[in-house]
Amino acid sequence: MIYFSLSACAAISPEKCKTADWYNLGYSDGQNGAKRDRVNDYTQACAEVNIKVNIEKWQAGYEKGNQIYCTPENGYRVGRAGQTYNGVCLSQAFVKNYNKGKRQYDIAEEINALENQIYQLKEQYRKEPNEDIKRDIRNDIRDLEREIDRLRVPQVLYEVMF
């Protein structure tokens, strides 16, 4: 019981329950891609202070905000930013573009990790007195640079489906 209470408290404070504009809160949740069951967190948190959530207003706002969130353009933006998609859109174009953007994000993250490995190997190389080990480090660096080049092959970044 305490676990749920703590989770609900994180959703909304008792003070906010008293003054909440349920339509605007729903709109904000929809526009940010929150799950549709987010209203349950509010209901539970506000019940603790005997405040009833206006679910109908929240849902109306959520639907309007969700329409803005679920555009194909936003799908790419959300994916490219590495944000989690909560499965709240009916639009296949959103999902397709989200997946494209997410792939680009994943590639950028992988390139960054490889560049960090190269940096560490260069630091190791700089300090290494043994020439055989230095040769192995150079080979490792070359292999990592080739992998980065492979990842950087131009790819179709964005396609809007209407």
Side-chain angles (χ1 to χ4, degrees):
M1 184 69 162
I2 293 175
Y3 172 78
F4 292 114
S5 178
L6 290 175
S7 174
C9 288
I12 191 168
S13 70
E15 293 77 26
K16 179 89 177 191
C17 287
K18 296 173 186 173
T19 62
D21 178 335
W22 296 112
Y23 179 89
N24 283 332
L25 190 54
Y27 183 87
S28 177
D29 287 341
Q31 189 176 19
N32 291 316
K35 292 182 179 181
R36 294 178 192 281
D37 64 358
R38 178 87 167 141
V39 72
N40 296 337
D41 295 337
Y42 301 141
T43 300
Q44 186 173 350
C46 293
E48 293 177 9
V49 290
N50 297 318
I51 302 289
K52 186 173 185 223
V53 172
N54 188 326
I55 295 173
E56 293 77 21
K57 282 187 178 180
W58 183 90
Q59 288 174 332
Y62 181 89
E63 292 306 322
K64 287 289 187 188
N66 182 260
Q67 289 173 4
I68 292 168
Y69 178 80
C70 292
T71 63
E73 298 85 0
N74 194 49
Y76 181 79
R77 186 194 63 74
V78 169
R80 188 66 179 92
Q83 297 173 352
T84 300
Y85 169 53
N86 291 315
V88 298
C89 299
L90 299 175
S91 166
Q92 289 303 314
F94 175 94
V95 174
K96 182 177 181 179
N97 285 339
Y98 172 81
N99 288 333
K100 286 179 184 180
K102 183 67 165 75
R103 177 69 182 132
Q104 291 303 309
Y105 172 82
D106 291 343
I107 289 170
E109 289 293 301
E110 190 172 350
I111 289 171
N112 188 46
L114 292 170
E115 288 173 340
N116 285 337
Q117 288 178 21
I118 290 171
Y119 174 80
Q120 291 172 357
L121 285 170
K122 285 181 176 180
E123 287 297 307
Q124 182 182 347
Y125 180 88
R126 190 174 57 80
K127 296 174 185 175
E128 181 58 57
N130 183 308
E131 287 303 317
D132 290 333
I133 295 174
K134 283 181 131 178
R135 183 186 64 244
D136 291 341
I137 293 171
R138 281 193 307 270
N139 289 336
D140 290 345
I141 290 171
R142 187 177 57 245
D143 290 345
L144 292 171
E145 287 172 341
R146 286 182 182 146
E147 179 63 13
I148 288 172
D149 288 342
R150 185 190 67 77
L151 289 168
R152 285 191 174 143
V153 170
Q155 298 184 19
V156 177
L157 294 178
Y158 187 63
E159 176 182 27
V160 177
M161 305 276 300
F162 292 99

